[in-house]
């Protein structure tokens, strides 16, 4: 990885792209520390200092915002509204024929779907911003803090609207910065910003583990957490790179005096075809009951049961449901993102076939069979990666929102590998151009 970056900085145009990307990252990190109007910044800092490492139902969103959510800054919502909008549009593409037709139109259809994603992102930002302001005003954002009710001293409608508009505009700016990185920088802009948001929480979380430790002033706990994190990174890299290559042969065709085809290739089916999406789905679904209890303020039996079994990340019921939901959403997402029948039809149209398998329906059935077989270990791997921090690091005061948790490790490793691949591919293109010249 370091070699690829060193070679990239020696190439003038790649160096400009890397420096441009770094400049956008600096702007993004500055925005995560600028508070919005109407918020008492001192009260927020007092509550953050008093808050425990477990950030409850806001932990996942706070992680994706790089810690900006709990500080209520202009980039408090971070990239989460865009992620949610993208997932919703991807799911609707399977259900709504109009969106499916746009997806098949190529670049023009993709541009329209991207525009719809932007509109939905703004709508979700307004909704989430309103919810965050209401939570901050009620004091539920920091339930254990004595000055939580003083975070928003001015309760007027004008101040509330100003706060919501500011956070919505901040989300639009984050979305624009991500698209700038995609167009003029290196890698996928949204993924890069997500990577930076998660990585920004590492130093503070690691130092908190060290301060909470009792063995050798916390250094033993600190070293153990680092070791567990490295082992998890190695496991994630190994599985993320693993794939089943289904061989494809294209028949030779004669057109005039020239022959076409006769080549061999393969269809790469990754073991973890769904990526981190199942973990996000499962986490969001389990947060809904706890969110309902927190806003209702009920002390009934059902509310107490939810607090004990669903809101607590160490409860056996929560762990079991979390694991089962991850496995379910892994199969669900793979089913909607990879269509074996469409792949089989495209292969048949261009004269491709899998050796030993007839073209058409038998090819689709074979691809479905292979995909189901590799999705099982992929879904179990996702569930274990998401649960290992909860079980193994509980003794150090960490939970699933700790930076070495499953969601953060999957995103960081995945984005890192993809970015390095893009840099290496662009370096290879330039080497080939120089060779041809």
């Amino acid at each position: 990885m370091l070699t690829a970056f060193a070679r990239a900085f020696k190439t003038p145009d790649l160096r400009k792209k890397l420096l441009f990307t770094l400049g956008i990252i600096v702007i993004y990190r500055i925005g995560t520390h600028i508070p919005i109007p109407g918020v008492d910044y001192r009260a927020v800092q007092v509550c953050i200092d008093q808050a425990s490492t477990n950030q409850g139902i806001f932990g996942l969103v706070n992680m994706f915002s790089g810690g900006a959510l709990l500080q209520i800054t202009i980039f408090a919502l971070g990239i989460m509204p865009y992620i949610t909008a993208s997932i919703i549009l991807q799911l609707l593409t399977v259900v709504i024929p109009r969106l499916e037709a746009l997806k098949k139109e190529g670049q023009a259809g993709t541009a329209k779907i991207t525009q719809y994603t932007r509109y939905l992102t703004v709508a979700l930002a307004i909704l989430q911003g309103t919810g965050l302001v209401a939570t901050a005003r009620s004091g539920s954002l920091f339930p254990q803090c004595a000055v939580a009710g003083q975070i928003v001293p001015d309760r007027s409608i004008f101040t509330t609207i100003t706060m919501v508009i500011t956070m919505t505009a901040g989300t639009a700016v984050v979305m624009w910065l991500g698209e700038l990185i995609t167009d003029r920088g290196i890698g996928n802009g949204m993924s890069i910003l997500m990577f930076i948001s998660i990585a920004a929480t590492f130093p503070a979380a690691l130092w908190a583990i060290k301060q909470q430790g009792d063995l050798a002033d916390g250094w033993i706990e600190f070293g153990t957490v680092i070791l567990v994190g490295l082992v998890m990174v190695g496991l994630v890299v190994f599985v993320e790179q693993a794939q089943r290559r289904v061989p494809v042969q294209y028949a030779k065709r004669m057109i005039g005096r020239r022959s076409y085809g006769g080549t061999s290739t393969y269809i790469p089916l990754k073991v973890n075809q769904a990526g981190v999406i199942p973990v996000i789905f499962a986490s969001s679904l389990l947060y809904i009951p706890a969110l309902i209890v927190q806003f209702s303020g009920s002390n009934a039996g059902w509310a107490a049961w939810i607090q004990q079994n669903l809101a607590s990340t160490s409860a056996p019921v929560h762990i079991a449901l979390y694991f089962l939901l991850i496995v379910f959403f892994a199969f669900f997402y793979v089913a909607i993102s990879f269509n074996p029948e469409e792949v089989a039809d495209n292969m048949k149209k261009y004269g491709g076939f899998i050796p030993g398998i007839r073209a058409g329906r038998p090819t689709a059935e074979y691809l479905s069979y292979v995909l189901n077989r590799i999705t099982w270990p992929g879904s179990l791997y996702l569930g274990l990666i998401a649960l290992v921090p909860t079980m193994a690091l509980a003794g150090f005061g960490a939970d699933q929102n700790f930076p070495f948790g499953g969601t953060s490790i999957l995103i960081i490793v995945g984005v890192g590998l993809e970015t390095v691949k893009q840099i290496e591919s662009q370096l290879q293109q330039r080497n080939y151009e120089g060779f041809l010249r």
Side-chain angles (χ1 to χ4, degrees):
M1 183 181 292
L2 295 178
T3 304
F5 278 102
R7 292 171 57 196
F9 268 103
K10 293 179 181 178
T11 308
D13 51 346
L14 276 180
R15 182 170 60 246
K16 291 180 181 179
K17 290 184 177 181
L18 288 173
L19 292 176
F20 179 82
T21 302
L22 291 176
I24 295 295
I25 289 173
V26 171
I27 295 174
Y28 174 67
R29 288 305 301 163
I30 292 175
T32 58
H33 292 85
I34 301 177
I36 64 174
V39 173
D40 189 342
Y41 185 71
R42 294 182 179 178
V44 171
Q45 294 304 312
V46 170
C47 291
I48 290 178
D49 293 337
Q50 295 180 3
S52 62
T53 56
N54 184 3
Q55 296 157 350
I57 61 176
F58 304 104
L60 184 68
V61 182
N62 188 61
M63 180 184 70
F64 281 117
S65 66
L69 175 74
L70 295 182
Q71 297 187 19
I72 319 179
T73 64
I74 59 175
F75 291 167
L77 301 179
I79 203 69
M80 200 63 181
Y82 184 85
I83 296 173
T84 307
S86 301
I87 294 174
I88 291 175
L89 261 297
Q90 193 169 5
L91 294 176
L92 291 178
T93 302
V94 184
V95 180
I96 301 177
R98 170 60 180 166
L99 293 177
E100 186 176 2
L102 285 176
K103 185 179 179 181
K104 295 180 180 179
E105 288 182 4
Q107 187 175 359
T110 304
K112 290 184 180 180
I113 294 178
T114 302
Q115 195 67 20
Y116 295 155
T117 304
R118 293 170 183 163
Y119 294 147
L120 184 57
T121 300
V122 173
L124 290 175
I126 295 174
L127 182 63
Q128 294 180 12
T130 304
L132 178 59
V133 172
T135 305
R137 289 177 55 178
S138 65
S140 300
L141 190 61
F142 299 98
Q144 307 296 331
C145 182
V147 296
Q150 304 175 14
I151 291 178
V152 185
D154 188 356
R155 305 299 179 91
S156 64
I157 297 178
F158 176 78
T159 301
T160 302
I161 294 176
T162 303
M163 294 172 68
V164 173
I165 292 176
T166 303
M167 283 190 287
T168 304
T171 300
V173 171
V174 170
M175 182 170 56
W176 176 61
L177 293 177
E179 292 180 353
L180 282 179
I181 294 177
T182 303
D183 294 338
R184 302 174 57 184
I186 292 291
N188 183 287
M190 302 304 175
S191 300
I192 294 292
L193 294 182
M194 195 189 311
F195 176 96
I196 295 301
S197 297
I198 297 173
T201 61
F202 269 54
L206 289 173
W207 191 247
I209 292 294
K210 189 266 178 188
Q211 290 182 327
Q212 293 172 5
D214 298 326
L215 302 176
D217 293 333
W219 287 110
I220 294 180
E221 290 87 347
F222 180 85
T224 303
V225 170
I226 292 292
L227 181 62
V228 172
L230 292 176
V231 171
M232 290 182 61
V233 169
L235 176 62
V236 170
V237 170
F238 176 77
V239 179
E240 291 296 318
Q241 296 289 85
Q243 58 182 222
R244 168 71 184 276
R245 296 181 176 181
V246 180
V248 178
Q249 182 74 33
Y250 285 91
K252 184 178 293 186
R253 294 180 296 172
M254 295 295 297
I255 302 178
R257 294 185 177 181
R258 295 186 178 182
S259 63
Y260 296 89
T263 59
S264 298
T265 183
Y266 60 87
I267 301 175
L269 299 178
K270 296 180 63 177
V271 173
N272 182 23
Q273 191 83 3
V276 74
I277 300 299
V279 181
I280 297 177
F281 276 11
S283 302
S284 302
L285 196 61
L286 281 178
Y287 284 151
I288 292 176
L291 189 65
I292 293 175
V293 171
Q294 183 161 356
F295 278 108
S296 65
S298 175
N299 295 322
W302 63 271
W305 188 89
I306 289 176
Q307 289 286 355
Q308 294 176 1
N309 296 282
L310 295 182
S312 176
T313 57
S314 59
V317 175
H318 181 279
I319 293 175
L321 281 177
Y322 191 39
F323 183 83
L324 293 175
L325 284 173
I326 289 175
V327 173
F328 168 77
F329 282 121
F331 278 92
F332 175 76
Y333 189 77
V334 168
I336 66 172
S337 61
F338 186 90
N339 190 348
E341 295 181 357
E342 182 179 351
V343 175
D345 291 340
N346 291 333
M347 289 171 54
K348 185 177 180 180
K349 184 186 302 182
Y350 295 102
F353 62 93
I354 299 174
I357 307 296
R358 294 178 58 188
R361 184 175 181 84
T363 298
E365 293 177 351
Y366 177 77
L367 290 176
S368 298
Y369 170 74
V370 174
L371 197 61
N372 287 332
R373 287 191 64 185
I374 65 173
T375 302
W376 269 114
S379 62
L380 296 177
Y381 145 80
L382 282 177
L384 291 176
I385 284 293
L387 291 178
V388 161
T390 302
M391 297 182 289
L393 301 179
F396 302 107
D399 60 6
Q400 70 175 15
N401 298 321
F402 182 70
F404 282 157
T407 307
S408 57
I409 289 294
L410 287 170
I411 293 174
I412 284 181
V413 172
V415 174
L417 291 175
E418 189 63 30
T419 304
V420 171
K421 285 180 181 178
Q422 291 195 20
I423 293 176
E424 290 181 344
S425 66
Q426 294 194 30
L427 286 173
Q428 289 178 358
Q429 290 177 3
R430 281 152 183 79
N431 291 336
Y432 290 150
E433 288 176 358
F435 177 74
L436 292 174
R437 290 174 185 172

